[in-house]
Amino acid sequence: MCSQKFLDYVYKYPVRIKSIFLPTMREDVISKFRETLGEKFAAQGHQLYTWYKCAGGHVYAINNCGEPQEKGKCFCGGEIGGIKHTLSQGNRRLDSYKIF
């Protein structure tokens, strides 16, 4: 399908393309985390999540005060978290991704 035909199809049948993955589009991992964790932990009284990335670029969240208290392993093998509010080397905070 040429690009013009595809765009016509998208315009005419937007509902049909809802489940199509387009390789040029990045997956919105943060929204998935928000949706899953927000519902699950809000019921348990947790209010704040602070978002971080490991050295490999994978996103993870810390709840309660939002500061690292222990170290863990990312699925990529990298270290995540930290000790006494100090992040492990290579991790970084994503300040714009706090959820309530």
Side-chain angles (χ1 to χ4, degrees), residues 29-43:
V29 176
I30 299 296
S31 291
K32 287 185 179 185
F33 273 127
R34 285 180 174 161
E35 184 178 308
T36 304
L37 293 178
E39 292 172 6
K40 181 178 178 182
F41 292 110

Side-chain angles (χ1 to χ4, degrees), residues 5-15 17:
K5 285 183 182 180
F6 177 74
L7 292 175
D8 288 341
Y9 184 81
V10 170
Y11 179 74
K12 292 177 185 175
Y13 310 104
V15 175
I17 65 148

Side-chain angles (χ1 to χ4, degrees), residues 10-94:
V10 170
Y11 179 74
K12 292 177 185 175
Y13 310 104
V15 175
R16 291 184 185 174
I17 65 148
K18 195 174 185 179
S19 63
I20 294 175
F21 176 75
L22 300 175
T24 58
M25 297 171 62
R26 288 188 56 168
E27 185 177 11
D28 189 359
V29 176
I30 299 296
S31 291
K32 287 185 179 185
F33 273 127
R34 285 180 174 161
E35 184 178 308
T36 304
L37 293 178
E39 292 172 6
K40 181 178 178 182
F41 292 110
Q44 298 175 6
H46 300 290
Q47 296 179 343
L48 177 68
Y49 295 91
T50 305
W51 299 93
Y52 296 88
K53 273 192 177 182
C54 74
H58 302 105
V59 177
Y60 65 97
I62 297 177
N63 66 345
N64 295 331
C65 75
E67 298 295 334
Q69 298 292 330
E70 59 187 61
K71 293 180 181 181
K73 288 283 181 191
C74 179
F75 67 88
C76 70
E79 192 172 272
I80 60 173
I83 301 292
K84 297 182 181 177
H85 293 191
T86 302
L87 273 175
S88 295
Q89 186 174 1
N91 287 244
R92 65 185 176 97
R93 185 179 184 144
L94 303 175

